[in-house]
Amino acid sequence: MGSFADHRCVGRRVEQARGARPTAAGRSAPASGEKWAAVLALQRQVGNAALTRMLEEREATGRPHAHGTVNGHGVPVQRNVGLEIEDSNWHTSGEGGRRLPKGTPVVHRNYFQLQAEDPDNVEMVTDPPGMANRGDYDRMKASMGRLESELISQQYRAGMAGNAARFRANRLEGGVSDAFLLPGARWAPHLQVTAGVPLAGIPTFFERLKREQVNVQTRQADQVDARLRSLLQLPAAATAPSPATVGGSRSDEPSGPEYRAPSRELLGFTALLNHYLFEGANRPHAQFAKAVYAVMARTDFAASFALLEKQEQVSIAEHLTEWVDVMVSSFAYDTAAETYGSPAGPVLGAEIRDAFGEGESTRAGRVTTSREDWLRGMVNGHDLLSTHGREADPSRGDTEQQRLGRDVDVREDAQWRPALNESLTDLRQLMQGLGQLKDRTDSVTYRNSVSNQNRGVPAVIVEVRHTTGVRPGAGGWIPTADGIYDAVEAAIGNAATVREGTGTRTDTVVPEPSVQPNPAIRQDTSREAIIRRARNGVQDLLLKTRKLALRR
């Protein structure tokens, strides 16, 4: 499933982009304040796909500013929660039965699109920049629920062979005229959720996800905090002198050095590493590399490491061997063999079934990059579990083919061989999704209760993938989606600064304004809805007439 942050430009006419809904005064209302004006203007001009591609290409000209703009132009790149709801029973096609590219809009609705998904499935995908508050999230859910009901109603519209009839997407409100939908036997979607979570909130996030039937596998390791404290050896804050003993004398034994505990951000970062190392040691196979992880890091690990306190970054870089040993010996545990892996073992041990080729020529692949290389690489600025991280590391080879093909094998006739000569396109797609947003992060605003000042905190972007509690039918995904949304809110709240020694939180979350965005896609007017229903009625009558004629 493609993330709503990965809409692709398909160069097609968006027929339902009629502009913003007019107010009673006859003019367009601002979209949730001036904050969204630039986004909606661009959406109307070039569509969501082109907007997202523009954001992803920002690296060519500049980096996002701290306040969440691209080159000072006021286009937000952060968002809170986005949903992707895919159904593999329903299918899409274009004119003449042609396959629609992944991400092609089929139906436009407020807050989201129904898109084509590989190979020919359908997927509801939240529009960028996503839902930044619960009010907008609830309105998006309601809109998605209405479309689900409309889709399911088409299952009972029998075609010429007695099966559900294929229909043009413009039979639905907001549908395009040059795409078709073929109903499935049932509506049984799979849910994925993309969200931004501050590093300090990741442990809370994982714990809450486990309650929501999200299969987040981690290793419960002992003494990790103490081992990190010993590794970092960062001096603790000055404390008052020890009180005298009862007799007025003090112990003559010299006291050992006091080292402070690792930051909450570092503990959150190691929680992400825990999940990756544990899953990499225990999952034997997967269809795609990204399918190994229940929670996939969309912000790459090199960028997440760069969010840690500078002192911690420097100390880890100075003790890389010890750092690798602590991470591997704490989290890379093989539950079947009941042994810990070694730093030289593969960080991603799964056989990837659909790694190379397509159709009957599909062959499996595997990534042999070691745990040590991955852990060292992110400290040196390269996430070797991402396509761009592998390609940007000059030590991996002179050409892109060499850099991407290194540490990768392909299976041929039950034998593994190096994949250096495989298709460059396949090598580029091997790590699709993993760390794909590079250094992009969300932003959470906190207000200090003492100084009454606001501060923005980066939040790494993650994608929740293994949602096992979704039920078939319209709205069957909603309880799980709500639980994940609650987990995001809890993680953000728990990431607030805690006053040392008291446990009291000095920061509170500054909520986004709960104002419905002015949609870039206007819904049908009453007249347009009547015309659409009349057109659909004529189509149904023609279909019945043809079926009766065949029976005679």
Side-chain angles (χ1 to χ4, degrees):
M1 294 166 66
S3 168
F4 72 93
D6 293 326
H7 293 342
R8 285 166 171 76
C9 184
V10 295
R12 62 192 308 213
R13 183 165 59 95
V14 180
E15 297 173 279
Q16 273 64 38
R18 307 186 187 100
R21 178 186 293 131
T23 63
R27 55 186 175 84
S28 294
S32 187
E34 297 302 321
K35 179 176 182 179
W36 308 115
V39 171
L40 294 174
L42 282 168
Q43 284 176 321
R44 286 190 289 269
Q45 180 180 355
V46 300
N48 289 327
L51 169 62
T52 303
R53 187 173 66 172
M54 180 202 74
L55 295 178
E56 290 180 341
E57 290 174 350
R58 77 194 190 285
E59 283 86 359
T61 54
R63 295 290 179 181
H65 296 280
H67 56 280
T69 66
V70 178
N71 298 325
H73 295 303
V75 181
V77 298
Q78 75 271 11
R79 74 261 188 247
N80 194 346
V81 173
L83 306 183
E84 303 147 46
I85 302 166
E86 178 184 357
D87 190 283
S88 59
N89 299 300
W90 281 64
H91 304 290
T92 61
S93 63
E95 296 286 0
R98 68 180 177 86
R99 179 176 169 179
L100 295 178
K102 174 185 173 73
T104 301
V106 176
V107 178
H108 298 272
R109 291 291 172 92
N110 293 345
Y111 306 104
F112 73 98
Q113 295 177 340
L114 181 70
Q115 298 179 354
E117 176 56 66
D118 289 336
D120 61 352
N121 302 337
V122 298
E123 181 176 41
M124 294 190 293
V125 181
T126 303
D127 288 337
M131 303 297 102
N133 61 73
R134 188 174 288 274
D136 292 345
Y137 167 75
D138 287 340
R139 284 185 283 270
M140 178 190 66
K141 280 194 309 180
S143 185
M144 286 180 166
R146 286 192 293 270
L147 178 58
E148 279 187 309
S149 297
E150 293 172 35
L151 290 171
I152 291 173
S153 71
Q154 298 300 315
Q155 291 176 317
Y156 307 103
R157 180 174 169 266
M160 298 300 294
N163 299 320
R166 188 184 76 150
F167 61 93
R168 285 190 183 272
N170 67 353
R171 185 178 179 86
L172 305 171
E173 182 179 15
V176 300
S177 64
D178 55 349
F180 293 86
L181 289 163
L182 177 62
R186 65 173 186 162
W187 179 258
H190 174 69
L191 169 70
Q192 293 177 184
V193 181
T194 303
V197 180
L199 283 176
I202 292 292
T204 298
F205 186 54
F206 279 5
E207 288 303 314
R208 292 291 296 263
L209 287 181
K210 292 175 182 179
R211 304 181 200 171
E212 304 300 333
Q213 294 182 285
V214 177
N215 192 25
V216 186
Q217 296 291 327
T218 55
R219 172 66 177 168
Q220 186 66 39
D222 297 327
Q223 303 298 319
V224 176
D225 292 17
R227 295 180 69 186
L228 285 174
R229 185 193 299 252
S230 177
L231 182 151
L232 296 171
Q233 296 188 3
L234 298 177
T239 57
S242 301
T245 60
V246 174
S249 62
R250 297 180 181 273
S251 171
D252 293 331
E253 296 181 7
S255 60
E258 288 290 333
Y259 299 130
R260 69 171 175 83
S263 69
R264 297 171 68 217
E265 288 74 18
L266 178 56
L267 294 178
F269 181 65
T270 59
L272 278 173
L273 296 179
N274 182 344
H275 178 51
Y276 266 58
L277 289 167
F278 187 76
E279 288 283 31
N282 288 280
R283 194 169 292 274
H285 47 71
Q287 186 176 9
F288 309 107
K290 63 183 179 182
V292 170
Y293 308 107
V295 178
M296 178 177 66
R298 303 282 280 148
T299 302
D300 76 31
F301 278 90
S304 295
F305 178 80
L307 297 178
L308 301 177
E309 294 178 7
K310 193 65 178 179
Q311 283 183 312
E312 291 180 330
Q313 292 184 47
V314 170
S315 185
I316 290 171
E318 290 175 347
H319 302 89
L320 260 181
T321 300
E322 294 90 338
W323 162 254
V324 170
D325 178 67
V326 171
M327 294 298 101
V328 173
S329 62
S330 296
F331 307 133
Y333 183 77
D334 186 330
T335 56
E338 297 184 346
T339 59
Y340 283 96
S342 69
V347 64
L348 177 58
E351 176 183 306
I352 303 168
R353 291 169 174 163
D354 295 345
F356 300 103
E358 58 182 356
E360 294 182 357
S361 65
T362 300
R363 290 155 297 149
R366 66 182 182 187
V367 178
T368 60
T369 300
S370 71
R371 300 177 179 108
E372 180 166 16
D373 285 348
W374 181 59
L375 290 165
R376 286 178 176 270
M378 67 183 68
V379 175
N380 293 318
H382 304 295
D383 181 356
L384 298 184
L385 283 184
S386 70
T387 300
H388 64 271
R390 297 170 77 84
E391 199 279 328
D393 185 352
S395 68
R396 296 180 59 81
D398 297 327
T399 67
E400 181 183 6
Q401 183 91 23
Q402 291 173 340
R403 291 190 289 269
L404 295 183
R406 181 175 173 180
D407 304 336
V408 178
D409 292 338
V410 60
R411 190 170 63 187
E412 295 274 13
D413 300 325
Q415 299 292 322
W416 291 101
R417 65 167 179 80
L420 281 169
N421 296 322
E422 289 299 310
S423 159
L424 183 57
T425 299
D426 286 344
L427 290 172
R428 287 170 176 166
Q429 291 294 315
L430 187 62
M431 299 293 188
Q432 183 185 31
L434 295 170
Q436 193 167 334
L437 296 184
K438 302 179 182 178
D439 64 350
R440 192 183 308 173
T441 59
D442 284 4
S443 178
V444 177
T445 304
Y446 295 94
R447 175 167 296 169
N448 186 278
S449 59
V450 178
S451 66
N452 206 32
Q453 297 294 311
N454 288 356
R455 65 184 182 94
V457 174
V460 296
I461 301 171
V462 295
E463 183 174 288
V464 181
R465 300 183 55 80
H466 296 178
T467 52
T468 58
V470 176
R471 301 186 303 273
W477 49 271
I478 289 178
T480 300
D482 287 348
I484 295 173
Y485 193 98
D486 292 342
V488 174
E489 283 197 330
I492 290 173
N494 285 349
T497 299
V498 176
R499 192 188 305 276
E500 188 172 355
T502 67
T504 304
R505 301 195 184 280
T506 59
D507 285 356
T508 56
V509 180
V510 178
E512 292 287 339
S514 183
V515 179
Q516 179 178 354
N518 189 28
I521 307 301
R522 175 175 62 77
Q523 301 305 107
D524 285 352
T525 63
S526 297
R527 179 175 179 274
E528 290 164 342
I530 291 172
I531 292 173
R532 178 168 51 79
R533 287 195 293 268
R535 183 185 66 230
N536 292 346
V538 170
Q539 292 172 351
D540 290 346
L541 182 60
L542 290 173
L543 179 61
K544 291 178 182 177
T545 302
R546 291 173 60 195
K547 289 163 67 175
L548 287 173
L550 287 175
R551 293 174 184 172
R552 293 174 181 173

